[in-house]
Amino acid sequence: LVEKNYVYGDTKQEVNVYVKVFTNSPFLVCMDLARSREEVIDPTYLWIGPDGKNLEGQMYVNLTETGKLMVMGFKASMSGAYTCTLSHKIIETTTQEERVVFEAYKFMVYAYREADHAYHVFVRFTTRECELAANGQFFEELKKILNNIISDLTCHIIESSYKCHSIKRPKQGLLHELFVSFQVNPFAPGWEEVCHQVPYDCEDATNMRVQEARERIGEFFNKQTYALKHEFQTVPTIHYVDNSFSVTHIDSCRPGFGKNDITHKNCASCCVVCEPGTYSPNNEVTCQICTRPRVKKYGARSC
């Protein structure tokens, strides 16, 4: 149960906690919610980290006297099982007899990153014929224009292509159209330098830039519609097909991270650190299983 930056334990099952890389974890409470609302006599707390070591006195943790644990500046390698043993006394009211009770709480803490966003764009243009030499020149020119519109955002156009198709519409003759597709990508040369100006992690800044790029490109195609209706006496040979602009959102994860909406259903849209025995070498969205799992660490990029 999460409450005001506190995550409570559960004696019956491990509790999954997701921490954005380079940020501080919420406080992990060495009690369940019910126990935290009761009187507890002579409590002691023993926190053990994923490496099996006692966490008391470690530089990267904030451990309170009431047994709450915060892990600071969370890195992928800090992921894993954090276990706490609570011991406290129960005193019989009639006999004043004391006995010590132990309760164990386990938290699985995972580093995550925001997914990197890109956009796949599809547009159509009418042309006079499919064999027209100007089709290819037009396509190259279009790419240059679009790249210029978004270059200051360190975004660029990748995986661009076009095909020409003949189309028969009801009550019309044969038309020819260019089906153009491309991806708006936030990793144009120089993007890393822009990232160095941002504290911590760069996904948020990168995602804002690529969204701005997508909006600018959408605006560009809106203007084509306006220009065709208001500014041309004669319609150009190759021109934009009204309302043909469509966008698909694409996610990718950094190496060592992947999505899994079954294992991590509480963080389904996050890129969660790859668990031991799995790895992600590239910007795909899934952690692959190692054929010979020698990997014992979180966030592996290779087996």
Side-chain angles (χ1 to χ4, degrees), residues 275-279 289-298 300 302-303:
E275 299 197 39
T278 68
Y279 72 105
I289 295 169
C290 293
T291 44
R292 293 180 183 161
R294 288 195 298 275
V295 177
K296 297 285 187 284
K297 66 173 187 173
Y298 283 85
S302 67
C303 282

Side-chain angles (χ1 to χ4, degrees), residues 114-134:
E114 298 293 343
D116 289 308
H117 301 327
Y119 296 95
H120 189 263
V121 176
F122 178 75
V123 281
R124 285 158 71 163
F125 290 85
T126 298
T127 184
R128 193 164 58 232
E129 55 184 85
C130 281
E131 278 64 51
L132 202 65

Side-chain angles (χ1 to χ4, degrees), residues 16 18 258-270 272 275:
N16 286 357
Y18 299 92
K259 285 184 171 190
N260 189 326
D261 55 5
I262 297 164
T263 315
H264 302 297
K265 56 179 178 287
N266 290 346
C267 208
S269 65
C270 315
V272 180
E275 299 197 39

Side-chain angles (χ1 to χ4, degrees), residues 1 3 6-9 29-40 45 66 68 86 88 103 105:
L1 184 77
E3 197 180 87
Y6 293 159
V7 180
Y8 290 88
V29 183
C30 189
M31 289 183 185
D32 59 26
L33 187 60
R35 173 75 63 229
S36 73
R37 289 171 173 169
E38 295 170 353
E39 179 181 81
V40 183
Y45 312 92
T66 54
K68 297 180 185 73
L86 163 68
H88 61 97
E103 289 163 13
Y105 299 94

